[in-house]
Amino acid sequence: MNSDEIYNILPENLKKYENLSNISRALSKELDKSVIKKIEELKIYTKMNELNDRVLDQLAWQWNVEFYSSELPKSKKIDMIENSYFHHITKGTAGALESALKAIVNNLEVQEWYEYGGNPYMFKLVVEGEMLTEQEITTVYKLVEIYKNVRSHLDGFVISQKDNMDMRFFSGLHDYKKISNNFVG
């Protein structure tokens, strides 16, 4: 902001007064020193990674983030805060439910009834690759109740873990004096 900005927006009939011209220029300089430079500090939503945990906790309270905990890792806190507005305006949709649940469990997918051949208005939760703690499972069920559509019901909660194992199967057949072994694997 330069010293003439406020002066330039004054109506022509006020510009002829020297005291108003001087006040407008002085006010522009003061605003530039004290206010304009402080505006950068107010841009907290664009630089959440730089905020401390106390400020993040306050933002979570302000945005009414469901199941927020101050013990969560910083990355999860930021993710929950950034998505809270979306969750609140889209409650009752599969997208909001999946987004809210992914803040707690990374590899979670919501499958609607027509995707797996279930009954109408049913859905499943499928988690692949990670085991959940009892607290995470409880939180998932609570989030489902908050974010699901009122007419929809949870049909199942599938937790699957894939493991690469070397399995060997042996079979044998005894036919009087002849013994044959087959290796499968």
Side-chain angles (χ1 to χ4, degrees):
M1 178 177 249
N2 66 39
S3 62
D4 287 337
E5 281 196 39
I6 294 180
Y7 174 79
N8 290 336
I9 63 172
L10 285 176
E12 288 300 320
N13 64 334
L14 295 179
K15 288 182 180 178
K16 65 184 177 185
Y17 297 108
E18 189 177 336
N19 62 346
L20 283 178
S21 298
N22 292 337
I23 288 173
S24 67
R25 287 186 177 104
L27 185 58
S28 291
K29 286 179 186 176
E30 284 303 312
L31 283 174
D32 190 39
K33 278 193 251 178
S34 59
V35 176
I36 304 299
K37 291 183 179 165
K38 297 282 184 181
I39 288 176
E40 280 301 311
E41 294 176 19
L42 297 175
K43 295 181 181 178
I44 58 176
Y45 297 107
T46 59
K47 51 184 179 182
M48 280 210 204
N49 288 331
E50 300 170 18
L51 301 176
N52 64 37
D53 284 342
R54 191 177 67 73
V55 175
L56 290 174
D57 294 345
Q58 289 296 316
L59 285 174
W61 175 82
Q62 175 187 345
W63 284 96
N64 194 23
V65 178
E66 306 283 350
F67 296 100
Y68 179 89
S69 171
S70 57
E71 284 83 39
L72 289 170
K74 189 173 185 175
S75 61
K76 291 238 186 217
K77 287 181 181 183
I78 292 170
D79 187 44
M80 290 177 80
I81 293 168
E82 286 177 342
N83 292 317
S84 66
Y85 180 72
F86 170 76
H87 294 159
H88 286 298
I89 65 171
T90 59
K91 273 186 180 177
T93 65
L97 177 61
E98 189 165 337
S99 179
L101 292 172
K102 281 189 175 184
I104 304 299
V105 182
N106 295 329
N107 299 328
L108 186 132
E109 178 187 356
V110 176
Q111 291 183 347
E112 296 196 59
W113 63 274
Y114 53 84
E115 295 174 322
Y116 66 91
N119 292 326
Y121 308 115
M122 304 296 273
F123 65 95
K124 277 185 186 178
L125 301 178
V126 179
V127 178
E128 290 186 19
E130 64 180 284
M131 291 306 295
L132 304 178
T133 65
E134 187 175 335
Q135 181 183 4
E136 287 174 326
I137 292 172
T138 303
T139 303
V140 165
Y141 278 115
K142 288 178 182 176
L143 283 172
V144 164
E145 287 303 313
I146 290 171
Y147 286 104
K148 76 174 183 66
N149 188 316
V150 175
R151 70 172 180 247
S152 299
H153 301 286
L154 182 62
D155 195 18
F157 188 19
V158 179
I159 301 172
S160 67
Q161 192 170 20
K162 295 179 181 175
D163 208 354
N164 295 332
M165 295 182 357
D166 187 23
M167 298 184 75
R168 299 168 194 255
F169 295 96
F170 294 94
S171 67
L173 175 65
H174 182 269
D175 185 20
Y176 297 105
K177 294 183 179 179
K178 182 180 175 186
I179 297 176
S180 93
N181 286 322
N182 297 323
F183 171 77
V184 179

